[in-house]
Amino acid sequence: MKRYEQTTLKQIAADLKLSVSTVSRVLAGKGDRYRISAQTADRVKAEAKRTGFVPNQIASALRLKRTHTIGLIIPDISNPFFAAVARQIEMEAARRGYFIILCDSRDSTGAEVEYLKLLQSRSVDGLIISPVGRIGAHLRGLRGNGVPVVLIDRYFPDLEAPYVTSDNYGGAYEAVTHLIEYGHTQIACVRGIAGSSTADDRLAGYRAALGAAGIDYDPQMVAGDDFSESSGYAAAQVLLKSKSVKPSAIFSQGNLITFGVLRVLDEKNLAVPVDISLVSFDDHYYASFLATPLTTVAQDKESIGRDAVKLLFRQLDQGVDKITEGIHVPTFLIKRKSVAYC
Amino acid sequence: MKRYEQTTLKQIAADLKLSVSTVSRVLAGKGDRYRISAQTADRVKAEAKRTGFVPNQIASALRLKRTHTIGLIIPDISNPFFAAVARQIEMEAARRGYFIILCDSRDSTGAEVEYLKLLQSRSVDGLIISPVGRIGAHLRGLRGNGVPVVLIDRYFPDLEAPYVTSDNYGGAYEAVTHLIEYGHTQIACVRGIAGSSTADDRLAGYRAALGAAGIDYDPQMVAGDDFSESSGYAAAQVLLKSKSVKPSAIFSQGNLITFGVLRVLDEKNLAVPVDISLVSFDDHYYASFLATPLTTVAQDKESIGRDAVKLLFRQLDQGVDKITEGIHVPTFLIKRKSVAYC
DNA sequence: TTGTAAGCGTTATCAG
DNA sequence: CTGATAACGCTTACAA
């Protein structure tokens, strides 16, 4: 806050005819260690309370080179998945006396790179990021400089940085296998943004499940550009309009995508699951109340957030290069009513 | 970031045998104003680029008493309403070169007060807050100190602080009137947290609509403790179990509440709208895909976020006491299929 | 056109 | 037990 007439150590010291160091030590809780007399300590505390002293963390940060701030860059805070993860991260950070600077990259690589630079000039102590593009290089530089970084949701195979993500491969495998068990062989996949580990791993899981069942993989069965509603909408349209392909089931890679798919289904008067079966990544309250309660692959957002913070602080404690671990948090398939026998 | 060997003005100055002030002036883009020769300016810029100089905003903030940071305190970032507002706020702030420190108060007054103190010690330049409790006193103190504050979603009638909120009264009035037009007279209201302007105004709108139609207000028709799903669930249960009251329609004050209500309806095998009609505050993608597409009161979250930032910066420019304006952003009723004739 | 020096508020080191 | 002093990195009068 604009600290108009904020009390400072110096003022308290002057008022009490003590030195700033003494006041600092008392107020920093180091009175005992420096054997400040109980008397002076009390006087100082009283004066601090009287004047409403609030320590200036900016000054402290400058001196200590520790801001107690961590930067959080995510593609879209209004996506329920990221909102839930962000919430968990904020809580875990707060518990440890850290603040979160929230940066919404709007799925733009440019914005992301810009944020990275700005956060650096804000001297954040660490960074949790769900990267949009392949900014491995940038991050490598940061890590090389000793800045702790944790990737969430998406990671780079070629960047030896710690990350936390769902077991996207396993989740997709389970979802598609579920579909196959219900007799489906013509299964479409509406994918997220190509090149992201999230979309790639889910696609790999999809292919593996198909393969395990002896079903040929057909690239025509895959569509979609990113994780947005509009991409889901467009993809579902081409999938359902196609002459060469006739899906009896759809595997959607994300919650927003699913809305797009549902919109197309709605427009075409296709009912779930009688006309077409549907499984979606990401779970939410609403999934059970949809026209057809949705079968979903739920992600453990709390664990993702918690583990991300844990990995970040471990780097802070033990050094950046000691931690390169990647965590794949298990998903779980919630069976509702959007899958029927083919 | 932990700026291990970060370049500083001093280093560049030493390398170039110039003074820090010169380097500072060039790199702050004030070369012209101080008539630094193009020559030296170029040398400085080149060296800055070569060494990857990033200005230390912490030092700058200490010197200038401006952190370019604004604190955002909200009750729950995973509530889609707040997530959307937060996103807008972040974007507007970023446009102006400001960062957002995100604080999730978990609807706890204690946490909120704590955050307030911490943000103060972080010297944020301003504060946007959706208050949980009646912390008017705290905020008054801040404003008295010249700290810009904007309230969102909820406001205090007794605090002359600027705020931005939906026209909750009007939105509720319209929703309930809509119900009445469909012949309902036994309309229950599942409310949010008592004492919040949001819940109070929506209740007032509800009562006014009833009154305008000559329907008596029955306190038994009102239940609910806060804006959570569990509160909605509990409230709907008492409402539907009650002997003294038989609602044919429900007006839910929030999106999470609505999930609770739906859960009860589901358990009791009550269908919307044939057995009971339902209107809910807050709109979302999912509302149109629910078993019964939901009639909702949509809030203009973008405007709320945008206006909040606008009011904040106006205070920054013109002084805190100049701005005390309250903005009520219009809502709009989206009619879908959850309301039927009684 | 450039340099000097003071100061933002804190903390750490050294001294007593 | 307490104090003086330097330093963190930057900005800005004031000088030259």
Side-chain angles (χ1 to χ4, degrees):
Chain A
M1 333 244 169
K2 210 179 247 162
R3 348 177 97 257
Y4 273 52
E5 302 298 310
Q6 271 296 0
T7 320
T8 66
L9 292 181
K10 197 202 252 181
Q11 280 168 41
I12 298 186
D15 289 357
L16 262 36
K17 300 197 189 308
L18 288 169
S19 73
V20 266
S21 2
T22 303
V23 178
S24 168
R25 298 197 255 246
V26 172
L27 263 17
K30 297 181 178 167
D32 298 357
R33 193 132 68 69
Y34 282 91
R35 325 225 221 140
I36 308 276
S37 74
Q39 243 199 94
T40 25
D42 288 345
R43 284 176 62 216
V44 169
K45 284 179 200 152
E47 181 68 3
K49 172 166 279 179
R50 197 184 65 73
T51 56
F53 171 78
V54 177
N56 183 330
Q57 295 289 95
I58 300 297
S60 172
L62 179 60
R63 177 67 234 246
L64 263 24
K65 290 168 179 289
R66 268 235 168 183
T67 54
H68 289 269
T69 306
I70 89 183
L72 174 62
I73 307 184
I74 49 182
D76 180 5
I77 187 68
S78 69
N79 180 328
F81 169 75
F82 287 116
V85 173
R87 178 167 218 226
Q88 196 66 37
I89 289 175
E90 197 278 337
M91 283 167 53
E92 291 292 325
R95 251 183 3 95
R96 294 166 160 95
Y98 273 69
F99 274 112
I100 294 296
I101 291 189
L102 175 68
C103 304
D104 189 308
S105 64
R106 283 152 288 135
D107 254 317
S108 142
T109 312
E112 175 172 309
V113 171
E114 178 71 8
Y115 273 130
L116 231 34
K117 208 180 70 193
L118 292 170
L119 287 173
Q120 187 177 0
S121 85
R122 298 305 288 270
S123 311
V124 296
D125 291 337
L127 213 49
I128 298 182
I129 174 169
S130 178
V132 181
R134 318 207 95 277
I135 53 162
H138 290 262
L139 295 177
R140 202 191 314 269
L142 287 177
R143 278 175 58 78
N145 268 333
V147 181
V149 174
V150 176
L151 266 28
I152 50 173
D153 189 50
R154 307 176 190 177
Y155 62 95
F156 303 118
D158 59 325
L159 179 71
E160 65 324 327
Y163 62 83
V164 187
T165 179
S166 287
D167 177 11
N168 291 303
Y169 177 90
Y173 189 97
E174 192 181 1
V176 175
T177 299
H178 178 63
L179 252 11
I180 293 171
E181 284 167 359
Y182 273 71
H184 294 276
T185 55
Q186 301 304 302
I187 303 173
C189 174
V190 185
R191 62 172 300 164
I193 189 163
S196 72
S197 66
T198 318
D200 290 353
D201 289 355
R202 288 176 194 171
L203 184 64
Y206 160 86
R207 291 188 64 162
L210 253 33
I215 303 172
D216 277 344
Y217 167 70
D218 180 354
Q220 303 247 49
M221 276 290 198
V222 179
D225 300 320
D226 58 48
F227 284 99
S228 70
E229 200 250 358
S230 57
S231 163
Y233 181 82
Q237 280 197 319
V238 316
L239 251 14
L240 296 175
K241 216 180 277 174
S242 160
K243 306 270 175 239
S244 47
V245 118
K246 267 222 130 0
S248 68
I250 296 181
F251 166 54
S252 160
Q253 288 199 354
N255 51 5
L256 266 30
I257 290 177
T258 301
F259 284 124
V261 172
L262 286 175
R263 199 144 59 84
V264 173
L265 261 25
D266 209 45
E267 288 174 8
K268 292 198 180 301
N269 277 310
L270 257 23
V272 177
V274 298
D275 297 319
I276 194 158
S277 287
L278 179 59
V279 179
S280 169
F281 233 91
D282 293 336
D283 190 53
H284 198 258
Y285 278 136
Y286 63 74
S288 22
F289 297 113
L290 293 187
T292 304
L294 220 56
T295 294
T296 59
V297 180
Q299 305 191 61
D300 187 348
K301 303 154 207 154
E302 288 71 29
S303 288
I304 294 177
R306 199 162 341 110
D307 289 349
V309 175
K310 207 178 292 169
L311 285 187
L312 193 74
F313 278 90
R314 206 172 290 162
Q315 291 179 73
L316 237 25
D317 292 345
Q318 305 175 18
V320 168
D321 37 339
K322 292 276 174 278
I323 315 291
T324 55
E325 169 182 7
I327 299 182
H328 291 257
V329 179
T331 61
F332 36 105
L333 185 68
I334 302 184
K335 296 173 189 169
R336 285 192 276 245
K337 308 215 151 43
S338 60
V339 176
Y341 284 100
C342 185
Chain B
M1 335 244 165
K2 207 177 252 164
R3 345 176 98 259
Y4 273 53
E5 303 300 310
Q6 271 295 357
T7 320
T8 66
L9 292 183
K10 198 201 250 181
Q11 282 168 38
I12 298 187
D15 289 357
L16 262 37
K17 299 198 189 310
L18 288 169
S19 73
V20 266
S21 18
T22 302
V23 179
S24 169
R25 298 198 255 247
V26 172
L27 262 17
K30 297 181 178 167
D32 298 355
R33 192 132 70 68
Y34 283 90
R35 326 224 220 143
I36 308 275
S37 74
Q39 241 201 96
T40 27
D42 288 346
R43 283 177 62 219
V44 169
K45 284 179 199 152
E47 181 68 2
K49 170 168 278 179
R50 198 185 64 76
T51 56
F53 171 78
V54 177
N56 183 331
Q57 293 291 95
I58 299 297
S60 170
L62 179 60
R63 175 69 233 250
L64 263 24
K65 290 168 179 288
R66 268 236 168 180
T67 55
H68 290 268
T69 306
I70 88 181
L72 175 62
I73 309 185
I74 49 181
D76 180 6
I77 187 69
S78 69
N79 180 326
F81 168 75
F82 287 116
V85 174
R87 178 168 220 227
Q88 197 65 37
I89 289 176
E90 197 277 337
M91 281 167 53
E92 290 292 325
R95 252 184 1 97
R96 294 166 161 93
Y98 273 69
F99 274 113
I100 293 296
I101 292 190
L102 175 68
C103 303
D104 189 308
S105 65
R106 282 153 289 134
D107 254 318
S108 143
T109 312
E112 175 173 310
V113 171
E114 178 70 8
Y115 273 131
L116 232 34
K117 207 179 72 194
L118 292 171
L119 287 174
Q120 187 176 359
S121 85
R122 299 304 290 268
S123 311
V124 295
D125 290 338
L127 213 49
I128 298 182
I129 173 168
S130 178
V132 182
R134 318 204 94 278
I135 53 161
H138 290 264
L139 296 178
R140 203 192 312 271
L142 288 177
R143 279 175 56 78
N145 270 333
V147 180
V149 174
V150 175
L151 267 27
I152 51 172
D153 189 49
R154 307 175 189 178
Y155 63 96
F156 304 118
D158 61 324
L159 179 70
E160 63 327 327
Y163 61 84
V164 187
T165 180
S166 287
D167 176 10
N168 291 303
Y169 177 91
Y173 189 98
E174 191 180 2
V176 175
T177 298
H178 178 63
L179 253 9
I180 293 171
E181 285 168 359
Y182 274 71
H184 295 276
T185 56
Q186 303 303 301
I187 304 173
C189 174
V190 185
R191 61 172 299 163
I193 190 164
S196 73
S197 66
T198 317
D200 291 353
D201 289 355
R202 288 175 194 173
L203 185 63
Y206 161 85
R207 291 187 63 162
L210 253 33
I215 302 173
D216 278 345
Y217 167 71
D218 181 353
Q220 303 247 49
M221 276 293 199
V222 179
D225 299 320
D226 58 47
F227 285 99
S228 70
E229 200 251 356
S230 56
S231 163
Y233 181 81
Q237 279 198 319
V238 316
L239 250 16
L240 295 175
K241 216 180 276 173
S242 159
K243 306 269 175 240
S244 47
V245 118
K246 266 223 129 1
S248 69
I250 296 181
F251 166 54
S252 160
Q253 288 199 355
N255 52 3
L256 267 30
I257 290 177
T258 301
F259 285 124
V261 172
L262 286 175
R263 199 146 57 85
V264 174
L265 262 23
D266 209 43
E267 288 173 8
K268 292 199 182 300
N269 276 310
L270 257 24
V272 178
V274 298
D275 298 318
I276 196 158
S277 288
L278 179 59
V279 179
S280 169
F281 235 90
D282 294 334
D283 190 53
H284 198 259
Y285 278 136
Y286 63 73
S288 23
F289 298 113
L290 293 188
T292 305
L294 220 54
T295 294
T296 59
V297 180
Q299 305 190 63
D300 186 347
K301 303 154 207 154
E302 287 72 27
S303 289
I304 294 177
R306 200 161 339 112
D307 288 349
V309 175
K310 209 180 289 171
L311 285 186
L312 193 75
F313 278 90
R314 207 174 289 162
Q315 292 180 74
L316 237 25
D317 292 343
Q318 304 176 19
V320 168
D321 37 340
K322 293 276 173 276
I323 315 291
T324 56
E325 169 182 8
I327 299 182
H328 291 257
V329 179
T331 61
F332 36 105
L333 185 69
I334 302 184
K335 296 174 189 168
R336 286 191 273 245
K337 308 216 147 53
S338 62
V339 176
Y341 284 100
C342 184

